[in-house]
Amino acid sequence: MSVLSTRTTRSRRRAWAGGLTAAGTLAVTLALAVPGTASAAPAAAPQAAAAAYPGTLNGWIIEALDVMRLNGIPGTYEGLHRNIMRESSGNPLAINNWDINAINGTPSKGLLQVIDPTFRAYWVSGTPNDPFHPVANIVAAANYAADRYGSIDNVFGPY
């Protein structure tokens, strides 16, 4: 996002999505009575395994898509990947220290090159509050793109 808006108003989508989180899995314990025994100890039901996302670009995009779905933020793998490759070549620690945003003291950061004011305005609760965190960066940028362009899928150049 080489030329991101620094607007501070939050979209209706952001306001609605702010209360939602990408919660972990719910652990459930089920007590079963075993016939013929004096006391039945509670038996633990199988716990749903937490989704295991690889710490790779593919894993970050898939995890971000899951968070986006939970928060009503549109976007596809293809749209995210295309924009990530253009903005940072897949480097979550990328930082732009030369454009107008950097000159003004707010360099673009992370996979989708988000400036801090935009990250703060479009950050989604349940993700780390860190613009360099790959999933938080993707979700915040997709939230911004959804508000401004309808979806990250509609972005085909610096935004």
Side-chain angles (χ1 to χ4, degrees):
M1 283 190 218
S2 306
V3 188
L4 284 178
S5 165
T6 59
R7 85 183 206 213
T8 58
T9 59
R10 299 185 193 264
S11 69
R12 280 181 279 172
R13 174 182 294 103
R14 174 65 183 104
W16 175 82
L20 298 176
T21 63
T25 58
L26 175 64
V28 177
T29 304
L30 177 63
L32 299 174
V34 179
T37 59
S39 76
Q47 292 184 359
Y53 302 102
T56 62
L57 180 57
N58 182 57
W60 299 325
I61 293 172
I62 292 169
E63 184 175 358
L65 285 167
D66 286 347
V67 174
M68 289 164 59
R69 251 186 304 282
L70 287 172
N71 288 280
I73 302 168
T76 64
Y77 185 99
E78 293 77 17
L80 291 170
H81 189 267
R82 177 184 68 244
N83 284 288
I84 288 169
M85 295 312 291
R86 183 190 60 253
E87 294 291 338
S88 69
S89 299
N91 177 2
L93 301 178
I95 187 164
N96 182 330
N97 285 315
W98 60 267
D99 72 357
I100 191 65
N101 291 315
I103 292 168
N104 290 333
T106 56
S108 305
K109 301 174 181 177
L111 288 172
L112 281 166
Q113 293 295 281
V114 180
I115 60 173
D116 287 338
T118 302
F119 181 82
R120 283 191 303 272
Y122 290 92
W123 168 77
V124 174
S125 179
T127 64
N129 194 359
D130 175 2
F132 286 109
H133 187 278
V135 174
N137 185 279
I138 293 169
V139 174
N143 196 19
Y144 165 79
D147 184 42
R148 178 125 178 165
Y149 305 103
S151 171
I152 190 76
D153 296 338
N154 298 332
V155 178
F156 291 95
Y159 54 113

